Amino acid sequence: MASDPITTGTTTWSDRFDQGLHPAIERFNASIGFDLELLEQDLDGSVAHARMLGRCGVISEAEASELIRGLELVRAEAAAGQFNPGLEAEDVHFAVEHRLIALLGPLGKKLHTGRSRNDQVGTDVRLWLRSQIDLIDGALVRFERALLAQAEAHANTLIPGYTHLQRAQPVCLAHHLLAYIEMAERDRSRLADVRQRVNISPLGAAALAGTPVPIDRRQTAEELGFDDVYANSLDAVSDRDFAVEFMAAASLVMVHLSRLSEEVILWASEEFGFISLTDRCATGSSLMPQKKNPDVPELVRGKSGRVFGHLMGLLTMIKGLPLAYNKDFQEDKEALFDGVRTCRDCLEAMAILFEEGLEFRPQRLEAAVASDFSNATDVADYLVAKGIPFREAYQLVGGLVKTCLAEQVLLKDLPLERWQQLHPGFEADIYAAIAPRQVVAARRSEGGTAFDQVERQLQRIRTRLATTGQKG
Ligand code: ARG
């Protein structure tokens, strides 16, 4: 007959088993190598569960207090680096239970009354993810603040705007940066939405069907700060939608960071020359002494793939699972842990990059917008203001640009006679109308790049961020 696995630390289960696990299978099966990340949450969940068992009269209040004391001892041991369970513990839940029994004796065996590791692990992961979402929100706010500071400093700087990566129309640099703040704000709102569905308690669903033990799920849910409890015990232990939703939201965070990274990498190239990298975030080459490399945005761009991969991994892991709990779910941990860590690290790195890792080069930017045909639309708009139909003006200007390219002359350098030959509507004020600063200032439609419109955006974001508490 097998002995009690919990007290002996062997990997046999109950008296149903005669033999221990094959050592390779023990390793294969265990999650203790990574799920100690959930230790705090596991202890919090167990404390709430023990207190509830006491209040409901399942165990005595004195026993509940003793269990809680034991759990706090485990917490203290862990803080002192003295809680280092081995493979035989299998996972964090068993590791805590083993230790509790070692500390308290037989009373420790009462903790698991009315629950299963299935609802326990679901509770732990939700508590963990909830706190990580709050940290990511704080990291998004810091990133937005870094962008905002650059936008404030460049409310009057121009930068070429592109479509198809071809020069299109000049824009205000602040306008460009504010676009990324808009993306980050959507990320925050998506994460806040996901958080609502993360914050539902599965505890008390037990293995799958609920429990005959007279527990009170609302009590543990309330103590743990959950907004509600799962209505269906099968759904409670087998729902990982929240993990997918989180990874989808994190993937979009990474998409946004990666797009910005790509721009920074281009801007830092000699071909663009729109920014210089400071020594704080750039690295040199081991071979080429002249090099200064944008490693930070390159890594962010590269790391985005890990998060998208975790999203696919989670969807695929879940899609064929019958109700209710399946061990496949153990695979959600490393995906979530790595996805969260990657997203947080990348947000922090990009915030630092914009805080102190790069400097825009206003002269280069100014020269860039003054030396192209990105004011051609404004010539057409000038004629439109004189009553010429847009399509006709568009054709005229198209022809003009073609000649200018052939003659290697910019629109601003054409003499007035040439303008008037093209159309009698042109007057001397055409030069002012096509100056880059005027081109930008003219785009006053709501949300446009005109300086007064950008100032309104800045004002809105400033106010929003001023009233946002930085959580992480
Ligand atoms: N380590 C498992 C996980 O991460 C805990 C739950 C195991 N439950 C079970 N009945 N085997 O999902």
Side-chain angles (χ1 to χ4, degrees), residues 13 29-32 34-35 38 90-93 116-119 121-122 125 240 325-333:
W13 294 87
N29 192 45
S31 52
I32 192 74
F34 48 84
D35 69 8
L38 300 175
E90 187 183 328
D91 62 19
V92 63
H93 325 291
S116 148
R117 279 186 303 157
N118 300 349
D119 55 339
V121 71
V125 172
R240 292 294 182 278
Y325 179 86
N326 300 270
K327 188 73 170 219
D328 313 47
F329 285 137
Q330 183 162 288
E331 289 292 308
D332 65 359
K333 313 288 171 309

Side-chain angles (χ1 to χ4, degrees), residues 133-393:
I133 287 175
D134 294 342
L135 293 173
I136 292 175
D137 186 65
L140 276 162
V141 169
R142 176 180 175 185
F143 169 62
E144 287 185 34
R145 289 195 168 126
L147 288 173
L148 178 64
Q150 290 282 2
E152 301 271 17
H154 292 289
N156 275 308
T157 308
L158 307 187
I159 186 171
Y162 296 81
T163 62
H164 314 269
L165 199 58
Q166 305 285 321
R167 293 275 179 96
Q169 293 169 350
V171 294
C172 172
L173 175 51
H175 191 57
H176 194 113
L177 297 171
L178 284 164
Y180 284 98
I181 298 190
E182 292 297 319
M183 296 175 221
E185 281 290 298
R186 284 198 295 278
D187 288 328
R188 294 186 62 211
S189 110
R190 240 184 310 273
L191 284 165
D193 187 55
V194 173
R195 192 188 192 281
Q196 294 180 42
R197 281 178 296 283
V198 171
N199 205 27
I200 308 290
S201 174
L203 195 57
L208 76 164
T211 171
V213 179
I215 58 165
D216 181 351
R217 294 185 60 202
R218 305 263 161 195
Q219 253 186 56
T220 47
E222 193 182 330
E223 174 161 348
L224 295 169
F226 285 113
D227 294 328
D228 205 348
V229 300
Y230 273 81
N232 179 307
S233 65
L234 293 167
D235 184 41
V237 290
S238 65
D239 172 31
R240 292 294 182 278
D241 293 358
F242 68 93
V244 171
E245 282 192 61
F246 167 78
M247 209 58 81
S251 292
L252 276 170
V253 171
M254 294 304 298
V255 166
H256 299 150
L257 293 182
S258 183
R259 293 183 72 178
L260 179 58
S261 293
E262 175 66 15
E263 299 218 71
V264 169
I265 294 162
L266 288 172
W267 292 342
S269 70
E270 202 143 326
E271 285 70 12
F272 279 75
F274 293 171
I275 56 171
S276 47
L277 297 168
T278 71
D279 295 351
R280 298 286 276 167
C281 293
T283 57
S285 155
S286 59
L287 177 81
M288 299 164 281
Q290 85 284 10
K291 291 287 292 290
K292 204 167 190 187
N293 295 329
D295 289 31
V296 169
E298 288 177 297
L299 275 173
V300 169
R301 190 177 58 182
K303 282 175 190 287
S304 60
R306 299 163 74 121
V307 181
F308 310 159
H310 292 317
L311 175 60
M312 282 306 122
L314 285 170
L315 286 167
T316 313
M317 180 269 283
I318 298 164
K319 83 175 178 70
L321 299 184
L323 296 180
Y325 179 86
N326 300 270
K327 188 73 170 219
D328 313 47
F329 285 137
Q330 183 162 288
E331 289 292 308
D332 65 359
K333 313 288 171 309
E334 286 161 294
L336 281 170
F337 297 163
D338 184 72
V340 161
R341 164 70 33 217
T342 304
C343 189
R344 283 182 59 188
D345 285 353
C346 289
L347 278 168
E348 182 183 43
M350 286 300 275
I352 294 170
L353 183 66
F354 277 82
E355 282 161 6
E356 49 182 303
L358 58 80
E359 278 157 10
F360 284 96
R361 301 170 67 187
Q363 274 99 9
R364 289 276 313 199
L365 290 161
E366 200 75 28
V369 293
S371 59
D372 60 18
F373 288 91
S374 61
N375 48 4
T377 320
D378 299 81
V379 178
D381 289 340
Y382 179 93
L383 289 179
V384 167
K386 307 250 162 162
I388 319 294
F390 176 78
R391 196 46 73 199
E392 189 183 327

Side-chain angles (χ1 to χ4, degrees), residues 82-96:
Q82 285 156 5
F83 181 64
N84 304 302
L87 264 191
E88 72 291 345
E90 187 183 328
D91 62 19
V92 63
H93 325 291
F94 268 158
V96 169

Side-chain angles (χ1 to χ4, degrees), residues 383-421:
L383 289 179
V384 167
K386 307 250 162 162
I388 319 294
F390 176 78
R391 196 46 73 199
E392 189 183 327
Y394 169 90
Q395 293 293 359
L396 277 175
V397 180
L400 180 64
V401 169
K402 190 173 163 185
T403 349
C404 286
L405 283 170
E407 293 174 23
Q408 295 198 11
V409 57
L410 290 167
L411 292 171
K412 71 178 166 66
D413 298 327
L414 279 181
L416 189 57
E417 311 84 76
R418 292 282 299 274
W419 288 106
Q420 287 171 340
Q421 274 162 21

